[in-house]
Amino acid sequence: MCPSLRLAFLLCVTTVAPAFAQDRIPAVLDCTGAFARDADERRLAQVFGAANVERADIPVGEGNTEPGTALFAKDPAKRIDILWHDAYARPNVVIIRNGSTWPVAVTGLDKPVAGGLTLLEIEAMNGKPFTLTGFGWDLGGYTSSWDGGRLDKPLGGCNLSVRFDHASDAPGDALDKVNGDVEFSSTDSAMREVKPVVVEIELGWPQ
């Protein structure tokens, strides 16, 4: 598919000064700069390079997609998906999916949130137990509340959510107890027994 006129323009701008964009690519993500409340596709192109920004249908669950933007769409280790409140302006949700290695900075913490961290590691970073949904359904494994912990606000002030998946060798009896559209505390004994790890990170801006 041919790029839109807008993205074509951004590509031309970046082609003129590629080093500028490359030098500004962050090592850790947060809710400032490219993903600030007022960011748009132009800012993404300035930070990540226009060649790495493209329109895409973003999976949103239950087999549905919504129009959005993908960064590094062909590189699973670097891919970032963005859904927008308006026409490709004002981020709604920034999604770091399973396999993408971007970490996310949290105010007051030296260590960023990243894929592969365990339930216990995330609980320690939060400074207290938190709430997450059960597994085995389309919205399973997501944090639903940080319960006032340190992860309540990542750097920049947006909302942070992570999605866990259970270990592949999780005991069947424990997994049965934490499956379904039900909320659990991170301290739940069966939840701890299935050894969840972070597989997805989301940054969200309310309307």
Side-chain angles (χ1 to χ4, degrees):
M1 179 182 295
C2 293
S4 68
L5 291 177
R6 184 179 184 185
L7 281 185
F9 169 74
L10 294 176
L11 179 59
C12 291
V13 170
T14 307
T15 301
V16 172
F20 174 74
Q22 185 69 33
D23 289 346
R24 293 181 54 144
I25 292 179
V28 179
L29 304 183
D30 56 40
C31 300
T32 65
F35 303 121
R37 184 185 291 274
D38 61 350
D40 56 16
E41 274 191 335
R42 182 182 181 88
R43 192 175 302 182
L44 293 179
Q46 290 171 340
V47 174
F48 295 98
N52 300 315
V53 181
E54 64 181 73
R55 302 276 171 86
D57 292 326
I58 307 300
V60 294
E62 299 184 343
N64 298 317
T65 63
E66 292 183 11
T69 304
L71 302 180
F72 306 102
K74 297 177 178 60
D75 186 346
K78 296 175 68 176
R79 179 164 176 143
I80 305 170
D81 290 343
I82 303 102
L83 297 170
W84 305 92
H85 282 301
D86 299 325
Y88 300 95
R90 298 200 311 119
N92 179 1
V93 184
V94 177
I95 308 168
I96 304 164
R97 297 192 189 275
N98 193 15
S100 187
T101 59
W102 292 97
V104 172
V106 177
T107 303
L109 293 183
D110 294 332
K111 180 180 180 179
V113 173
L117 292 179
T118 67
L119 181 85
L120 294 180
E121 288 174 317
I122 292 293
E123 186 177 276
M125 293 173 74
N126 194 45
K128 61 186 303 185
F130 57 91
T131 305
L132 69 160
T133 58
F135 301 107
W137 63 297
D138 211 54
L139 297 178
Y142 280 104
T143 52
S144 54
S145 175
W146 295 113
D147 298 325
R150 289 190 293 253
L151 299 184
D152 216 22
K153 293 293 181 184
L155 187 62
C158 66
N159 297 323
L160 169 69
S161 177
V162 304
R163 188 177 197 177
F164 292 90
D165 197 8
H166 57 78
S168 59
D169 60 351
D173 56 344
L175 189 55
D176 287 342
K177 295 176 183 178
V178 292
N179 268 337
D181 184 4
V182 183
E183 292 186 334
F184 296 89
S185 170
S186 58
T187 61
D188 182 274
S189 59
M191 183 62 73
R192 289 178 183 260
E193 193 174 352
V194 301
K195 299 179 181 177
V197 297
V198 174
V199 295
E200 186 174 301
I201 306 171
E202 293 187 358
L203 300 173
W205 283 111
Q207 183 69 36

